[in-house]
DNA sequence: CTGAAAGCGCTAACAT
DNA sequence: ATGTTAGCGCTTTCAG
């Protein structure tokens, strides 16, 4: 009525996109009926539905998610916040999340903190401005500002990777237990002088949790010392090779290295074959993650398979369940892990 | 005026978020001034700016991007469409894109086609409903529907990975030339019976382009036959190992394998060491991508380093330049590649 | 099952 | 440099 120009109209940018009204006019119904065709088709009669469908096709209508989100104060966007994209672990998790979200018509908005909790706060603030339907965030450690924002936000949240007391939902595995399990395996194999090697464990605090488990297992076996080598990160495989050389050099009595991840462990195995170090006779090597490469090196790597992609999938499913008001089961979901024994131990 | 309830008000979801108006009232200015504080701070006087800042802090205002996008018919969201997240190549590209976008206040919306062009069309349709500021899409091959939508869309687009006649901007490398370069290297080394091995080359058509270059190089050397092994994809390293065995078995005269990627090539090198096949004496191995692992296997892998992350960065920068109306330089940007010769050839 | 009215929170396009 | 007015295109609410 107030608009003089008939369809097609142009928006302020000069573009010319058909709107719900254009479809409605074409179909001979009101715009709200077309809206309902999208949001709750069950409330639209078959005959009307067909008319609307034809009109949509005819005018080439594309739903404007922005307008819909403004009106409904919620959007089908789900921000996912990870610390890094250089780590396969998060890539696999994202893959799981993406698959599930995409299948259910939700969009994944990707944010990266570089392990900076302040950056995390900023990202979350921005993302909440998108009226997100939910949020996926890595880890249970956040700064006070983040925690305050999220506690006042009444949409579902999943914290992934670890287990514990969280903000809302929580999907992951027990890293302390994983570290313990691997070291128990090494002890059972008869290794006694076991070193733990990681890279920047203060940042990668989940690896530090595995070191804690490692120490616990040693202590339980009456071994009080748990030697630790914490290297600066360069390239992970290179760090692994370096760790092997360093430990062989400074601690010739060491009979096994428990690496913080498979990249480092494989770097060590490949370096060993270059240097003529026999694995596991001269020294045993263990990793963590269960990456494909571990099965291709000689000897095959003993490692713990982490349920990375599944963490993504389950996290997504729980979040969507909560968004749709369905039951989510237990708040904290432990996906476990599997020890895969190769020839390297 | 028309609103009876004073601040703070509640939106339709029952949540209670302060709006621009709340900030404006607090600061004693009009809402548009607060808006300008965000969008063009240079047009706001220092004194006003300070008042506004204090008010924002006081009421805990968070910008509502949705409302802003609706009003301005453009959002700071950039959809990125890739075929797969299982391929490191795209991960590295995404990393480059994400870094640049995040640094400039743009959000990356992630879409995955699984190499299905119809899915690509759907994704693009959905994403355009987000009033995206631009679009990043993989490859130059799209179906008719996609092409039609994008030709009528007047926002910047970057097609990445390949080079050629595109929709708009275009950042990548010349895959035919890369394939040619590697095979010229192999020929220069004296290899004559060179096989090309890939996995699902119909899907991975950029690898098929490298095969084309490979064939060209052979033809230029007077070799008319270019034997090809195209395996079904399982795990890439496993396929590489399999290819090595298959070729050794069926073509004992073959003296070099040109693999479609580093994963396969490294799978072959690792398998060779298991099987007692000497590289490069018994057979030479070449890859493509320049992944870290290639430097850690023995012998080191001869490969072509693709500028993956840089493709992401440059693509992002060109897109942002165009969004901001700055000059973008040439439409098609060739990032080249580097041959890295290891001991495997 | 369908419609009319109202407005989500912001910004473009003029003013001043 | 700041304000006024009028929507952006959709969904909510309330009627029928």
């Amino acid at each position: 009525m107030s608009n003089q120009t008939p369809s097609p109209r142009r928006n302020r940018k000069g573009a010319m996109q058909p709107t719900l009204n254009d479809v409605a006019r074409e179909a001979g119904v009101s715009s709200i009926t077309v809206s309902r065709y999208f949001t709750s088709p069950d409330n639209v009669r078959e005959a009307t539905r067909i008319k609307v469908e034809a009109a949509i096709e005819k005018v080439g209508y594309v739903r404007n998610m922005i307008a819909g989100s403004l009106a409904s104060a919620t959007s089908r966007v789900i921000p996912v916040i990870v610390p890094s994209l250089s780590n396969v672990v998060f890539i696999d998790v994202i893959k799981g999340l993406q698959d599930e979200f995409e299948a259910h018509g939700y969009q994944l908005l990707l944010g990266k903190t570089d392990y900076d909790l302040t950056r995390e706060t900023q990202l979350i603030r921005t993302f909440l401005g998108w009226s997100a339907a939910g949020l996926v965030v890595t880890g249970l450690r956040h700064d006070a500002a983040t925690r305050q924002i999220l506690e006042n936000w009444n949409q579902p949240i999943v914290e992934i990777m670890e287990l514990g007391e969280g903000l809302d939902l929580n999907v992951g595995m027990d890293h302390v237990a994983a570290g313990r399990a691997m070291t128990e395996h090494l002890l059972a194999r008869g290794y006694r002088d076991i070193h733990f090697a990681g890279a920047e464990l203060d940042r990668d605090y989940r690896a530090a949790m595995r070191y804690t488990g490692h120490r616990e297992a040693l202590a339980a076996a009456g071994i009080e010392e748990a030697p630790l080598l914490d290297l600066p990160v360069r390239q992970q495989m290179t760090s692994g090779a370096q760790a092997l050389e360093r430990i062989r050099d400074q601690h010739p009595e060491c009979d096994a290295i428990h690496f913080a991840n498979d990249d480092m462990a494989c770097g060590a195995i490949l370096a060993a074959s270059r240097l003529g170090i026999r694995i596991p006779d001269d020294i045993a090597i263990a990793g963590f993650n269960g990456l494909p490469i571990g099965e291709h090196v000689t000897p095959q790597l003993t490692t713990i398979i982490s349920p990375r992609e599944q963490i993504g999938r389950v996290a997504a499913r729980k979040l969507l369940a909560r968004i749709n008001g369905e039951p989510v089961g237990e708040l904290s979901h432990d996906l476990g892990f599997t020890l895969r024994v190769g020839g390297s131990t």
Side-chain angles (χ1 to χ4, degrees), chain A residues 108-122:
Chain A
L108 189 160
L109 209 53
L110 188 61
K112 177 177 114 266
T113 66
D114 288 317
Y115 295 93
D116 175 354
L117 293 181
T118 309
R119 182 86 194 99
E120 182 179 79
T121 309
Q122 287 172 6

Side-chain angles (χ1 to χ4, degrees), chain A residues 17-37:
Chain A
Q17 283 291 333
T19 71
L20 265 196
N21 265 308
D22 298 324
V23 177
R25 196 174 310 125
E26 182 67 35
V29 297
S30 76
S31 64
I32 183 63
T33 300
V34 182
S35 171
R36 278 198 269 258
Y37 165 84

Side-chain angles (χ1 to χ4, degrees), chain A residues 193-224:
Chain A
D193 202 322
I194 310 171
H195 285 232
F196 191 97
E200 291 183 13
L201 292 182
D202 49 332
R203 239 172 52 155
D204 188 357
Y205 70 86
R206 279 172 288 273
M209 290 167 85
R210 297 194 289 276
Y211 173 61
T212 300
H214 165 83
R215 241 181 16 217
E216 287 176 13
L218 289 182
I223 302 171
E224 286 310 326

